[in-house]
Amino acid sequence: MAHRPFASSPYVVGKSALAPAEPHIPAEESLCPVVSHDWVNAEYKHLVVDASPKALAVRPGQFFNLLCPSPDEGELWLRRPQSVYRIDQAKRRIEFLYKCVGRGTYGLARLKHGDDLNMVGPLGVGFSIDPAWKHVVVLGRGVGLATLAPISQLAAENGIGVTAILSARSPEFVMAGDLFARVGEVIGVLDTDGTSAVDNVEAILTRLIAERRADAFYTCGSNRLLQLMKRVGKARGIPGQVAMEQVMACGLGPCYVCVRTFEVDGRKELRRVCIEGPVFDLQEAVGW
Ligand SMILES: Cc1cc2nc3c(=O)[nH]c(=O)nc-3n(C[C@H](O)[C@H](O)[C@H](O)COP(=O)(O)OP(=O)(O)OC[C@H]3O[C@@H](n4cnc5c(N)ncnc54)[C@H](O)[C@@H]3O)c2cc1C
Ligand code: FES
């Protein structure tokens, strides 16, 4: 049978045929029933959906472009990108952890148990792991912690030790602390007691390097922390990856809304975060 280049209708979880159509296309639009959707604090929500076989193939660091219901009378045209927070293969579910910041995410927050979430994905390039690594360090802040959770889980499943440095304004905003604690050591650093200061985080990184617990760096969610890991990684020859966040439109490559500047061998390069990322080499990221 000749392949059609594009799917003509979404995959409806629980209703569409079990064998996914068009196996040569890695992403698809799917309608996913909401299993649960709860506030974890005043700003963040945890969303769990039943997922299609293609969605379940998502890799840590990849994302879905979500069609958010409008929170008001107006239309909401563009989808909103959210990286995968947890992949539950046993229950065939995908989880998101997101912060409500504007119309899209406040609209998304209205979805309730039994509603369908329309998502396109998995999209983009995710994190990679070198099996030779024995111990990695993840360093994130805010919603960046949601993006770093699945790579920490994957590293642990591959027998790689994980130290997670979780930066937040105050204790109630240390996201996913329990999930990180299940896969490795957690070090919380806060604005309220000053431990999130760059000098202190640098001292923690230096200690981990001295203890040979830093074969690679992963970061997301803070320009300040990206610059720190980039500087320390360069000085100490430690490879690293960063998941970048950028306002997007199509999420698929053609619109160029998500272009950012990168630096490769001293040359400036423009790259699309949605399709060439969102995960990039730490030393090539310029930050913002
Ligand atoms: C690859 C990727 C993965 C992401 N994963 C997560 C996640 O796991 N959890 C999470 O909470 N958020 C995540 N984000 C950010 C999320 O996409 C934005 O918060 C969301 O699109 C905002 O939509 P809105 O309509 O609610 O807000 P808007 O009204 O569009 O914007 C409100 C504020 O959020 C900022 N904003 C809008 N879009 C983005 C964006 N794409 N990135 C950063 N800031 C933005 C705007 O500049 C503005 O200050 C991710 C973004 C990208 C690109
Ligand atoms: S969002 Fe359209 S090219 Fe990246």
Side-chain angles (χ1 to χ4, degrees):
M1 186 182 79
H3 287 309
R4 287 175 294 129
F6 301 105
S8 53
S9 55
Y11 182 96
V12 186
V13 176
K15 295 193 181 140
S16 293
L18 268 183
E22 321 299 355
H24 64 297
I25 304 176
E28 70 182 357
E29 180 186 12
S30 55
L31 294 183
C32 304
V34 173
V35 176
S36 64
H37 198 182
D38 302 308
W39 289 98
V40 292
N41 59 34
E43 295 177 356
Y44 287 79
K45 283 202 95 167
H46 178 214
L47 171 61
V48 183
V49 298
D50 286 326
S52 72
K54 267 187 196 173
L56 283 166
V58 64
R59 307 273 306 157
Q62 285 191 301
F63 69 96
F64 291 88
N65 224 0
L66 308 183
L67 195 61
C68 304
S70 173
D72 48 46
E73 299 300 308
E75 296 277 344
L76 203 65
W77 290 98
L78 298 173
R79 290 171 179 268
R80 301 298 197 267
Q82 295 288 343
S83 49
V84 63
Y85 166 58
R86 192 161 169 261
I87 310 149
D88 186 342
Q89 295 291 355
K91 292 187 176 159
R92 310 188 66 73
R93 289 173 180 168
I94 297 245
E95 302 181 21
F96 299 96
L97 181 67
Y98 67 94
K99 183 176 180 182
C100 291
V101 291
R103 288 185 65 225
T105 42
Y106 278 110
L108 185 64
R110 294 180 160 208
L111 284 178
K112 52 190 188 313
H113 174 76
D115 288 345
D116 281 333
L117 170 65
N118 181 314
M119 46 192 236
V120 168
L123 299 174
V125 177
F127 292 107
S128 58
I129 283 185
D130 183 337
W133 293 336
K134 299 273 183 289
H135 206 113
V136 298
V137 182
V138 303
L139 170 61
R141 185 170 168 95
V143 294
L145 297 173
T147 305
L148 292 169
I151 185 60
S152 309
Q153 212 172 345
L154 186 67
E157 283 164 12
N158 282 277
I160 299 172
V162 178
T163 302
I165 307 172
L166 313 183
S167 174
R169 265 182 282 155
S170 51
E172 67 271 29
F173 293 110
V174 178
M175 288 295 112
D178 51 343
L179 193 150
F180 285 106
R182 282 199 291 276
V183 299
E185 183 198 6
V186 171
I187 302 173
V189 292
L190 303 173
D191 296 353
T192 42
D193 61 10
T195 48
S196 64
V198 168
D199 287 356
N200 185 53
V201 179
E202 183 165 357
I204 296 169
L205 292 179
T206 306
R207 174 173 61 78
L208 292 170
I209 294 167
E211 293 169 356
R212 298 183 179 278
R213 291 163 69 203
D215 295 329
F217 286 160
Y218 295 94
T219 188
C220 183
S222 157
N223 186 48
R224 206 168 47 105
L225 299 178
L226 155 66
Q227 301 300 351
L228 169 64
M229 268 200 152
K230 185 176 169 177
R231 178 165 56 75
V232 175
K234 186 168 188 186
R236 308 297 288 266
I238 296 167
Q241 294 162 45
V242 54
M244 309 286 280
E245 285 187 8
Q246 175 72 332
V247 174
M248 292 184 180
C250 71
L252 298 166
C255 78
Y256 283 74
V257 159
C258 63
V259 165
R260 290 185 83 127
T261 304
F262 292 81
E263 202 165 49
V264 184
D265 300 328
R267 277 178 299 106
K268 295 270 192 291
E269 263 187 24
L270 298 177
R271 291 178 179 169
R272 288 161 296 174
V273 172
C274 70
I275 197 152
E276 285 144 297
V279 175
F280 295 93
D281 186 297
L282 186 56
Q283 294 305 328
E284 294 179 353
V286 169
W288 57 94

